[in-house]
Amino acid sequence: MIGLALRLLRLGGRRAWTSAGLVGAGVAVATTLLTIAVGALHGLDERESRTDWRTPAVAAADPVAQLRLRTDSAAGRPITQIDLVAPVAAAAPPPGLPRMPAPGEVWVSPALAELLGTLPADELAARYPGPATGLLGEAGLQSPDELVAVIGRPAGDPVLTVPGRSDVVPVAGFDVPRPAGRDFAMTDVYRQLTIVAVALVVFPVAGLLGASARLSAARRSERLATLRLLGASVRQVTVVAVAEVTAVAAVAAVVGVLLEWALSPLVAMIPLAGGGWFAADVRPGLLACLAIVAGVALLATASAVGGLRRVVVGPLGVVRRQRAQGARWLRLLGVVAALVVLLVVNAATNVVSVDAVGIVFVAAVLAMSGAVALIGPLVVRLLGARMAAGARSVPGLLAGRRLLDDPRGAFRPLAGLTLAVFVAGFLAPMTSVAAGASPADGAALQITAPAGATGLEGATRARLASIGLPATVTAVDDPRDRVDLTVLPADPAELDRARTALDGLVPGAVVQTEAEQRHEETVLVGDLQRGALVVLVAAFVVAATATGTAAAARVLDHRHTLCLLALAGTPLDALDRARRAETLRPLGVNGAIALVLGLLCATPVVAAAKALEPSGLLTLVGVLVAGALLILAATAASRPLLRSVTAPDQERSR
């Protein structure tokens, strides 16, 4: 029977190949996005594995080095500076280095080496004890564009005692595994956010996979019902249906994975946590790719089996088109369950540990996404009944009857856009919060000195005067037993020259602006905005694929009815207006419901009222306008197909 299924697919003619192409296109796009989402999590794990050495295991005695991790800046970019004091030459070196750095040596990343060659020495190179000794390899870098300097220091270097935000760590060994239970770090923040972002994309992608597997379901049901009437058993019909859909889905899934691998250099250019990615980071491993292909094929198989119930139970009814595809009120129980899950998650976020918040919150995202998908067909059914009862024109009556006859099929082209509106409602308040973050001062340099330091103002002015750089210098005694020195260059373009000139004024201190000290926070805010945009784009790619393929497949599925209407004298323009009415009106109602549910889903993190701020409103309006335009474009794109299936000779050749 598998051979028969593949033969039917191969010999089915242009219509069969068109249907298979629509299924394959939807599955391939969905698989590509799913693989990108899995690749993002894989990339974070790879990054963390390469940078773990910067927070090493603490030595109880006899450390191989004293490590201090700090952030410097040049040309508006952060430089990760890792000082290794009193390194033991025979010890295992940090990843990416051939040996342990000796005192006075400077090992730099390729990106920093390039910057050193670009900037004048008095803006960067003069800060280091000597020229670059060598390059830090990929094994020790977070990203290819990361600026890193590993500096060997002698025992007793002032870097050990100078005030700052970071602590000195006695290193047990760079080859010694770090014990479990480490402190929550910024990497964990990004992992939690990425998990939530993946959840926002995975549900629409899964919906697209299921919808793609059900494309041209009417045509497939008719053919399988004919086999059933000819005497084929339930098992044989099931094998034929499953083999056809699974074969197309499996091939398309492989294409989707290969497409993600081909696109990985472009995906790697999307910055996160202050830098891009190595292309290999965003490519899931072989086992993960095989699992994705198998999962996609299984989901397609399940969708195909789900559509066989009518064929198995009543093949004659399928052929006569006597059974409608209803949507029951029972679906409302799913919405109630989703709201209960949201309440539980809202309470749980105040109890669970910080590193588990993202995983807990995913439950709310998935539940509310499921509620949007569950209630959609019911809304379509109710709207169809109202449109049919109150129709004052032929297109309105046709649209209402088509919605009422097959609400699940009518919702299928709208599902992707509806979920995109849900995602926009979820992200709108968060983008408003990110856009409203107050900027830090990036014009004045700050130097922190130990309490009791004297003559700092005079020494600072003397150094700046020696290079002819005018600046305002202020010293303030800090209640935290230190002295804070502020330097405001008259010319902002001279910031790096001033920074380099003041290097070493307080031995071991790093000269930074307030904005540079808050660099991680600034980058996180930017990543939130960028991540929201990426998720929205992914949701709209899913929506565009689902809308385009489902609109074309819906025409093919209803070609018999459309052709009979055309033969009865219904103008093509009336049929086209009916198609627009059966998409735009349900989209408006379902979109409003999805928007409310998306705003509710965001409430455990941020107030829904934030969506009314300019940035949030811009996101919402943009999504709604883009959704309406996408529906109109999909309807227009499938108009030639509508004209083809309603040609007079189509019904005679059927």
Side-chain angles (χ1 to χ4, degrees):
M1 296 305 292
I2 294 177
L4 174 62
L6 298 179
R7 187 175 182 183
L8 288 173
L9 177 63
R10 183 170 57 87
L11 301 177
R14 187 180 65 180
R15 289 177 182 172
W17 282 100
T18 301
S19 299
L22 291 173
V23 173
V27 172
V29 171
T31 305
T32 299
L33 291 174
L34 181 61
T35 310
I36 289 174
V38 174
L41 293 173
H42 178 264
L44 286 175
D45 291 337
E46 289 297 304
R47 276 185 170 187
E48 185 175 9
S49 67
R50 289 196 303 270
T51 57
D52 264 354
W53 65 275
R54 302 178 191 179
T55 52
V58 178
D62 300 324
V64 299
Q66 301 280 344
L67 182 147
R68 189 164 192 184
L69 177 66
R70 298 181 296 172
T71 302
D72 196 1
S73 298
R77 299 172 62 186
I79 302 173
T80 300
Q81 182 172 314
I82 302 159
D83 295 296
L84 297 178
V85 181
V88 177
L97 291 181
R99 57 179 174 78
M100 190 73 83
E105 289 186 341
V106 182
W107 294 78
V108 299
S109 64
L112 182 54
E114 182 179 349
L115 188 62
L116 284 167
T118 303
L119 295 179
D122 62 353
E123 293 186 13
L124 179 58
R127 303 178 202 174
Y128 301 123
T133 307
L135 296 179
L136 180 62
E138 179 180 318
L141 297 176
Q142 172 183 284
S143 60
D145 55 351
E146 187 184 22
L147 305 180
V148 183
V150 181
I151 306 174
R153 305 277 188 183
D157 193 274
V159 74
L160 294 174
T161 56
V162 68
R165 290 186 163 193
S166 60
D167 297 323
V168 177
V169 179
V171 181
F174 292 109
D175 55 347
V176 176
R178 188 175 56 188
R182 62 182 177 85
D183 294 336
F184 191 74
M186 187 59 72
T187 305
D188 301 292
V189 174
Y190 278 100
R191 179 171 285 102
Q192 303 300 314
L193 292 174
T194 304
I195 289 172
V196 174
V198 168
L200 286 170
V201 174
V202 162
F203 202 95
V205 166
L208 174 58
L209 287 171
S212 298
R214 287 177 178 268
L215 291 179
S216 299
R219 171 186 166 277
R220 195 159 52 242
S221 295
E222 288 177 12
R223 191 174 62 197
L224 295 175
T226 302
L227 291 176
R228 186 84 170 92
L229 291 171
L230 290 174
S233 66
V234 172
R235 189 182 72 83
Q236 289 173 323
V237 170
T238 302
V239 170
V240 170
V242 167
E244 178 181 339
V245 174
T246 304
V248 174
V251 172
V254 172
V255 171
V257 170
L258 294 176
L259 185 59
E260 191 276 343
W261 275 58
L263 292 175
S264 57
L266 295 178
V267 176
M269 295 172 64
I270 301 175
L272 187 72
W277 309 75
F278 291 103
D281 289 351
V282 294
R283 292 172 179 156
L286 179 60
L287 290 179
C289 290
L290 291 176
I292 290 171
V293 172
V296 168
L298 285 175
L299 182 57
T301 300
S303 298
V305 171
L308 283 177
R309 195 168 67 90
R310 290 196 307 141
V311 177
V312 171
V313 174
L316 193 59
V318 171
V319 175
R320 292 178 177 175
R321 299 174 179 83
Q322 291 178 344
R323 187 170 180 177
Q325 298 291 298
R328 300 180 181 179
W329 287 96
L330 194 64
R331 290 172 176 265
L332 289 177
L333 293 179
V335 180
V336 174
L339 293 175
V340 171
V341 171
L342 179 63
L343 291 175
V344 172
V345 168
N346 197 7
T349 51
N350 300 320
V351 179
V352 299
S353 60
V354 181
D355 57 348
V357 169
I359 298 174
V360 171
F361 197 64
V362 163
V365 172
L366 294 178
M368 298 299 277
S369 298
V372 171
L374 272 175
I375 201 173
L378 179 59
V379 171
V380 170
R381 192 195 99 187
L382 297 175
L383 188 60
R386 182 169 181 176
M387 289 172 64
R392 297 179 181 273
S393 64
V394 172
L397 179 61
L398 288 175
R401 287 303 309 171
R402 280 162 61 86
L403 294 177
L404 193 58
D405 287 345
D406 187 7
R408 283 184 285 177
F411 178 68
R412 205 163 289 140
L414 310 176
L417 277 173
T418 304
L419 287 169
V421 174
F422 168 81
V423 171
F426 177 84
L427 294 175
M430 298 187 181
T431 56
S432 295
V433 171
S438 56
D441 180 16
L445 295 169
Q446 297 179 350
I447 309 173
T448 301
T454 59
L456 285 179
E457 283 188 71
T460 300
R461 290 192 176 93
R463 287 199 178 197
L464 295 176
S466 66
I467 60 172
L469 200 158
T472 302
V473 181
T474 308
V476 178
D477 289 329
D478 193 288
R480 292 169 291 182
D481 294 330
R482 66 187 198 187
V483 178
D484 290 334
L485 190 70
T486 302
V487 179
L488 180 62
D491 183 359
E494 299 285 359
L495 197 65
D496 282 333
R497 280 190 68 217
R499 190 198 317 270
T500 305
L502 298 176
D503 185 71
L505 178 69
V506 176
V510 175
V511 185
Q512 291 181 300
T513 65
E514 181 189 0
E516 291 162 353
Q517 293 172 4
R518 292 171 52 185
H519 172 72
E520 281 191 341
E521 302 170 22
T522 305
V523 169
L524 179 59
V525 169
D527 286 338
L528 284 173
Q529 295 174 312
R530 191 180 303 107
L533 178 62
V534 170
V535 171
L536 276 176
V537 168
F540 262 95
V541 169
V542 171
T545 305
T547 302
T549 56
R554 191 160 167 78
V555 171
L556 293 174
D557 281 349
H558 293 84
R559 65 183 181 277
H560 175 66
T561 303
L562 293 171
C563 192
L564 291 179
L565 286 170
L567 290 174
T570 308
L572 184 64
D573 183 63
L575 295 177
D576 207 33
R577 282 187 286 136
R579 292 170 61 231
R580 284 199 296 271
E582 73 181 57
T583 52
L584 286 177
R585 293 185 188 180
L587 176 63
V589 178
N590 277 301
I593 295 172
L595 178 60
V596 172
L597 292 179
L599 292 172
L600 280 176
C601 191
T603 51
V605 179
V606 63
K610 289 289 185 181
L612 300 178
E613 295 183 3
S615 178
L617 282 176
L618 182 63
T619 300
L620 295 178
V621 172
V623 168
L624 295 177
V625 171
L629 293 176
L630 190 57
I631 283 289
L632 293 174
T635 303
S638 56
R639 184 181 174 88
L641 184 60
L642 175 65
R643 185 182 297 109
S644 172
V645 300
T646 54
D649 61 333
Q650 290 298 313
E651 186 63 21
R652 287 194 296 269
S653 62
R654 182 176 179 271

